[in-house]
Amino acid sequence: MAKKLNIITAGGNLPFANNGLKLSENILIEKIEEHEKFKSLFSIDKTLLDRIAADMAKNSFDSSQPVHIWVTRDENGTEHNYLIDGYTRVAASRMAGIKMVPYFKHTFESFEEAHRYALHLQTDRRNLNGIDLLKNIQELMGSEYIQSLEGNKNEAVGKELGLSEKTVERANKVNSRASDEQIERIEKGEASPNQIYNEIINQETVDEEATDEQRERIESGEATVKDICKEIKAEKKSRKASKKKPSDDDISESLSTNEGTPAGLNFNHSDGIERPSYRLSPEEDSERTKERKAAYEAGLKKGSALAYEIYDFILSEIESGKSAEEIRNDIHFDDFSVARIYRAFNLDDGQKQEKEHSDSENDESDISDFDDAFGEENK
């Protein structure tokens, strides 16, 4: 299903084409100006453009979907009609020979204000992906609005775009560390921002932790950076496991501290170390059972709501022609912690969101671009 755009999700700024708060007008396409900054921030998909142009040639422009134009004057007093949203529709209209389109007229104090409005329109309709994701995060991160805020700026940018803080952090890393060749691969659709992020992290790991022998193998072509990264992670896990292995002294100590007490030994700890366990009284056990039952019922209710949202999302991805692999790699499924999943689907998990600590050792999965999952509408 397509994501619904309404006055609530648009933050109260949504104009209506029919019987609403603000009526659209018509404008000759030749009077519409393309603003270089907006044009560069939202790329046009050629396949989508051709499909929309063919539909317009047959059915004309859909008047229920006006474009958005920022009417402003420059320092010389010359009026400009800058297109801020609807570049694909306007381009398709030109291809279809349409001369006039409906539009909503806006006035903004600055480019930043117009950009934030355009971003909300885009993210309320669909997800940003690829190079568009990186460009708009970079533009927003450097804006006076974000820089003037106190606190976590990654979180603030995430709220503006409907993204997790973790996604913004990763995008910032790509924007600041990616090579020209890596950025070009993202622009061409040959790699996702998350794939490039993983390449950067792998290279940093090798630079900081690889042995001389491992570096030589990379230089000679015997191994890749990713191969060496896996070796380094495996070595770390092996060292941790050896540290956690219980010794005879650990068991003896546990047994000695347990003498003369009614408590038993708990052998269920993941680290393998035995510890005395406390046995609940019948009253305490009953209370614990009630708490667990209540938690289970609450979790079942939340889980059902989340399952429906995921199901609805996957259907929309299938309808848009996405493959199983593309759906599996979507940003919504980048992290299956409760906090992140609920945040990705804009649900309230009813509890305090804990700050995540990124652990590159356990991060093998790709977080995809923001695929255009919510219909064929526009850039």
Side-chain angles (χ1 to χ4, degrees):
M1 295 180 182
K3 183 181 277 189
K4 294 181 179 179
L5 182 64
N6 55 54
I7 196 168
I8 296 177
T9 59
N13 294 319
L14 177 67
F16 288 86
N18 298 301
N19 301 321
L21 301 178
K22 185 176 183 180
L23 295 176
S24 63
E25 304 174 48
N26 290 320
I27 186 172
L28 290 170
I29 286 183
E30 64 186 35
K31 291 186 176 181
I32 298 176
E33 299 176 65
E34 294 183 344
H35 193 294
E36 282 305 313
K37 268 205 165 182
F38 284 110
K39 189 175 182 179
S40 66
L41 290 174
F42 304 110
S43 58
I44 294 178
D45 182 271
K46 182 64 168 57
T47 302
L48 177 62
L49 173 62
D50 291 341
R51 190 159 62 244
I52 293 177
D55 181 78
M56 285 185 176
K58 180 180 179 181
N59 302 310
S60 192
F61 193 100
D62 183 356
S63 60
S64 71
Q65 300 295 325
V67 300
H68 293 260
I69 292 177
W70 174 21
V71 180
T72 185
R73 292 183 182 276
D74 60 25
E75 55 187 14
N76 298 319
T78 304
E79 184 174 277
H80 296 279
N81 298 311
Y82 289 130
L83 181 63
I84 64 172
D85 181 76
Y87 276 83
T88 300
R89 280 167 289 170
V90 169
S93 297
R94 290 194 176 104
M95 292 171 62
I98 295 173
K99 305 297 183 182
M100 185 175 291
V101 296
Y103 80 106
F104 286 127
K105 177 180 178 180
H106 300 278
T107 56
F108 300 103
E109 293 297 323
S110 64
F111 168 79
E112 284 189 9
E113 186 179 344
H115 176 232
R116 287 182 62 207
Y117 181 80
L119 274 177
H120 281 296
L121 290 175
Q122 289 283 325
T123 56
D124 282 334
R125 280 198 308 268
R126 66 183 181 92
N127 290 323
L128 294 175
N129 67 357
I131 199 66
D132 290 349
L133 176 70
L134 297 180
K135 286 181 177 180
N136 282 281
I137 286 179
Q138 186 175 48
E139 183 70 36
L140 198 54
M141 183 62 73
S143 68
E144 183 179 343
Y145 167 70
I146 292 296
Q147 291 303 314
S148 66
L149 297 177
E150 296 182 0
N152 191 324
K153 291 178 172 53
N154 289 331
E155 183 179 5
V157 170
K159 287 181 178 179
E160 288 287 323
L161 299 177
L163 308 176
S164 69
E165 177 187 335
K166 184 177 180 180
T167 297
V168 177
E169 289 174 355
R170 290 182 172 219
N172 287 336
K173 169 78 80 171
V174 174
N175 279 327
S176 63
R177 297 296 304 275
S179 65
D180 292 341
E181 181 270 336
Q182 288 172 320
I183 292 296
E184 184 177 355
R185 285 162 56 202
I186 296 175
E187 290 176 335
K188 291 180 177 180
E190 297 173 355
S192 70
N194 188 68
Q195 288 173 314
I196 299 303
Y197 169 83
N198 286 333
E199 290 179 11
I200 293 170
I201 292 300
N202 287 343
Q203 186 62 58
E204 289 180 348
T205 300
V206 168
D207 291 343
E208 296 171 5
E209 303 180 43
T211 63
D212 291 340
E213 182 270 338
Q214 288 172 324
R215 295 177 197 276
E216 289 176 2
R217 285 164 56 203
I218 293 176
E219 291 176 2
S220 66
E222 295 179 20
T224 65
V225 170
K226 188 174 182 179
D227 293 334
I228 299 303
C229 242
K230 287 182 177 180
E231 290 181 11
I232 293 172
K233 291 175 183 179
E235 290 169 2
K236 284 183 177 180
K237 288 182 180 180
S238 178
R239 287 196 297 269
K240 284 186 178 181
S242 63
K243 289 180 180 179
K244 291 179 179 179
K245 187 176 181 181
S247 65
D248 292 340
D249 291 339
D250 294 327
I251 298 175
S252 299
E253 183 178 350
S254 296
L255 289 172
S256 64
T257 56
N258 192 51
E259 291 179 358
T261 70
L265 285 177
N266 183 348
F267 289 88
N268 295 323
H269 292 280
S270 60
D271 58 13
I273 299 176
E274 296 76 12
R275 298 178 178 83
S277 62
Y278 176 75
R279 292 179 180 173
L280 300 176
S281 68
E283 293 78 12
E284 291 173 324
D285 187 58
S286 176
E287 187 63 31
R288 175 69 63 81
T289 300
K290 291 179 181 178
E291 291 175 357
R292 288 177 175 173
K293 181 181 179 182
Y296 170 80
E297 291 174 346
L300 182 62
K301 182 178 179 181
K302 294 173 185 175
S304 297
L306 176 58
Y308 174 78
E309 291 292 332
I310 294 176
Y311 173 74
D312 185 53
F313 174 78
I314 291 175
L315 282 183
S316 71
E317 291 285 79
I318 293 173
E319 290 173 358
S320 67
K322 295 293 170 59
S323 67
E325 184 65 22
E326 289 174 316
I327 295 173
R328 184 161 42 249
N329 285 333
D330 191 272
I331 194 72
H332 284 77
F333 309 118
D334 68 343
D335 185 337
F336 266 80
S337 66
V338 172
R340 290 299 179 189
I341 279 290
Y342 272 86
R343 187 179 302 167
F345 285 91
N346 297 317
L347 298 177
D348 181 11
D349 65 359
Q351 57 184 322
K352 183 177 180 181
Q353 306 274 352
E354 295 183 0
K355 177 176 176 57
E356 291 192 319
H357 297 281
S358 178
D359 183 0
S360 61
E361 287 187 27
N362 298 320
D363 192 1
E364 291 290 341
S365 63
D366 281 348
I367 298 178
S368 78
D369 313 319
F370 271 64
D371 294 327
D372 186 0
F374 300 102
E376 297 183 348
E377 236 319 281
N378 359 260
K379 308 286 180 191

